[in-house]
Amino acid sequence: MIPLAEPVLAGNEWRYIKECLDTGWVSSVGSFVNRFEEEMAKYLGVAHGVAVVNGTAALHLSLIIAGVKKDDIVLVPTLTFIAPVNTVRYVGAYPVFFDCDPETLCLDVNQIAQFLSRECERRGDGMAYYKKTGQRVGAVIPVNALGHPADMDALMEVCRQYKVCVIEDATESLGSEYKGKKAGALGNIGCLSFNGNKIITTGGGGMLVTNNGEWAARVRHLSTQAKKDPLRYDHDEIGYNYRLTNIQAALGVAQLEKLEEYVTRKREIAARYRELFAGIGGKLKVLQEASWAKSNYWLSTIQVDPNAKEPLMQYLIDQGIQARPIWNLIHELPMYKGGNVYGESTPHALHAWQTCLNIPCSVNITNDQIETVAGAIKNYFS
Ligand SMILES: *Cc1c(COP(=O)(O)O)cnc(C)c1O
């Protein structure tokens, strides 16, 4: 079996976890938590990192500190893993779904600009309100799809004009770059995930990163039950139990030491697939980064004819090669059906859903295995 993307734990993980067990610092306070936060913030070039239980919790807290409230709207791509959209509902706000850019598969920034300038009005507070419903635009969540950063300069510019908070969902794009700057560091808030399938893992984990010190302090507070006093049970708002444990952070510190190596390998894997598929012609396209981006190629993704996607996936699985489709469009899922979709349809997201297939790309995949995967796909088409 060649897995899609399995974790590799071959560095200092054992050593650091042993230190936690030997010293008894296993829970949500400890030196590895601090180290992980500091080293990640330094790596990204942001002022603050707050480690939390997972990427979904980071997104949830982002919306709270951005001041997103019940009945606000939050602008999201329909082509995404579901987590960011669910967190919009956690705070009682509603998603408005947008199409993706056909090349990067990230949020179509032109559509966001059009929506804000044509469909919204600016009120006295300087914020944008959706003319059709009167709802306030609370935030936008650009998701860096499959590791590729969104076109952030254009997005930041238009969102600044309308005071819309930009929460960069960089859960898939750690190690990627946008015009030389690290993904995760580009919005007002960045969210990371260290789930088992991500480029580095803590088993489960996440981090919220920001340059805003007040926000970082509030996230720390909210993620520890809004506890005001270390001794007395004094709480001043409704908080959450969202902190990462020292054991998980120990894994994180060890994994972060390997990140650059992993990004290099992921990029090599994508490049190798591109070479191997070069002669195959119009039947298959390998997703590629934009000229302004450096992708971590978290996943290697091919695009095939809509009629070929399902049978090819089954063909690969039958040969012990794990392959997976891209996410179902969120606005088509039962709990989000009938929600607001900008422009009423999302043709590029639909096309991506119909054609994209993710193929094995663990950082420890061997070059022989890459050839096996590519060979099987070429066999299918011949
Ligand atoms: C993985 C992922 C998340 C959530 O991260 P968890 O750590 O699994 O909660 C959020 N958004 C996207 C796009 C993801 O891929």
Side-chain angles (χ1 to χ4, degrees):
M1 173 78 178
I2 305 178
L4 186 72
E6 65 178 2
V8 175
L9 304 156
N12 283 317
E13 289 84 355
W14 270 115
R15 200 157 74 81
Y16 295 164
I17 286 195
K18 185 171 185 305
E19 198 178 313
C20 297
L21 303 187
D22 288 345
T23 58
W25 289 95
V26 294
S27 199
S28 59
V29 177
S31 60
F32 283 113
V33 177
N34 300 341
R35 225 174 113 183
F36 190 36
E37 291 177 339
E38 278 159 23
E39 286 173 13
M40 185 63 77
K42 187 161 161 241
Y43 172 78
L44 296 176
V46 294
H48 308 278
V50 185
V52 292
V53 285
N54 53 48
T56 308
L59 287 158
H60 183 193
L61 293 176
S62 296
L63 290 164
I64 296 174
I65 59 169
V68 177
K69 300 245 159 47
K70 187 169 173 295
D71 295 332
D72 283 348
I73 52 174
V74 175
L75 317 183
V76 296
T78 189
L79 185 71
T80 174
F81 181 60
I82 198 168
V85 184
N86 284 340
T87 62
V88 171
R89 295 295 300 124
Y90 295 173
V91 297
Y94 290 89
V96 176
F97 296 101
F98 287 80
D99 203 358
C100 63
D101 173 273
E103 299 303 319
T104 66
L105 306 190
C106 297
L107 193 59
D108 181 341
V109 173
N110 289 326
Q111 279 202 350
I112 298 288
Q114 281 169 13
F115 177 80
L116 289 170
S117 64
R118 295 181 195 163
E119 312 278 330
C120 297
E121 60 185 5
R122 217 181 329 215
R123 294 206 186 146
D125 57 4
M127 299 192 74
Y129 288 77
Y130 188 22
K131 284 191 243 176
K132 193 168 106 183
T133 62
Q135 288 169 294
R136 187 176 72 138
V137 183
V140 55
I141 310 180
V143 176
N144 297 338
L146 304 168
H148 196 290
D151 187 3
M152 290 297 282
D153 277 355
L155 184 65
M156 292 306 287
E157 181 51 37
V158 65
C159 287
R160 216 180 344 260
Q161 289 169 30
Y162 290 90
K163 285 200 191 174
V164 175
C165 183
V166 179
I167 299 169
E168 188 186 9
D169 183 335
T171 50
E172 299 176 359
S173 60
L174 182 60
S176 300
E177 289 174 17
Y178 173 79
K179 299 181 180 171
K181 284 165 91 181
K182 292 274 189 259
L186 304 161
N188 301 114
I189 303 169
C191 295
L192 310 176
S193 166
F194 315 114
N195 190 20
N197 68 349
K198 297 288 165 35
I199 192 158
I200 64 168
T201 186
T202 59
M207 200 179 291
L208 185 152
V209 297
T210 180
N211 285 316
N212 184 320
E214 273 172 41
W215 280 356
R218 178 121 193 274
V219 169
R220 252 172 233 292
H221 187 60
L222 284 170
S223 61
T224 47
Q225 306 281 25
K227 186 175 65 177
K228 265 180 75 186
D229 186 285
L231 182 65
R232 292 169 194 86
Y233 292 95
D234 198 5
H235 308 262
D236 60 357
E237 58 183 320
I238 295 172
Y240 301 87
N241 182 10
Y242 271 178
R243 281 293 267 172
L244 195 73
T245 67
N246 202 46
I247 296 184
Q248 290 168 308
L251 272 178
V253 172
Q255 287 270 291
L256 185 54
E257 291 169 354
K258 294 285 184 182
L259 177 59
E260 282 302 299
E261 197 181 298
Y262 288 1
V263 172
T264 302
R265 181 61 186 150
K266 286 276 192 189
R267 292 178 60 78
E268 268 170 22
I269 295 165
R272 186 74 188 116
Y273 276 129
R274 219 171 300 134
E275 274 168 26
L276 290 166
F277 291 131
I280 207 169
K283 287 178 192 146
L284 184 152
K285 190 179 144 196
V286 182
L287 276 196
Q288 231 169 310
E289 64 200 355
S291 59
W292 38 261
K294 178 183 169 191
S295 176
N296 67 1
Y297 286 97
W298 168 57
L299 291 180
S300 276
T301 308
I302 57 172
Q303 279 189 294
V304 297
D305 186 85
N307 297 318
K309 187 188 82 170
E310 284 289 327
L312 171 60
M313 184 169 76
Q314 200 51 54
Y315 178 82
L316 293 174
I317 292 169
D318 290 345
Q319 293 179 60
I321 296 169
Q322 201 185 7
R324 281 190 86 178
I326 199 168
W327 322 281
N328 285 338
L329 303 188
I330 306 295
H331 76 268
E332 298 284 0
L333 297 176
M335 56 289 190
Y336 292 110
K337 230 180 161 75
N340 265 313
V341 178
Y342 181 70
E344 307 302 327
S345 70
T346 59
H348 297 309
L350 180 64
H351 183 255
W353 175 72
Q354 288 169 332
T355 57
C356 285
L357 199 61
N358 294 313
I359 57 175
C361 58
S362 306
V363 293
N364 65 353
I365 192 172
T366 65
N367 290 339
D368 283 352
Q369 286 174 320
I370 294 174
E371 279 178 36
T372 302
V373 174
I377 292 168
K378 285 198 225 173
N379 266 341
Y380 174 85
F381 282 112
S382 59

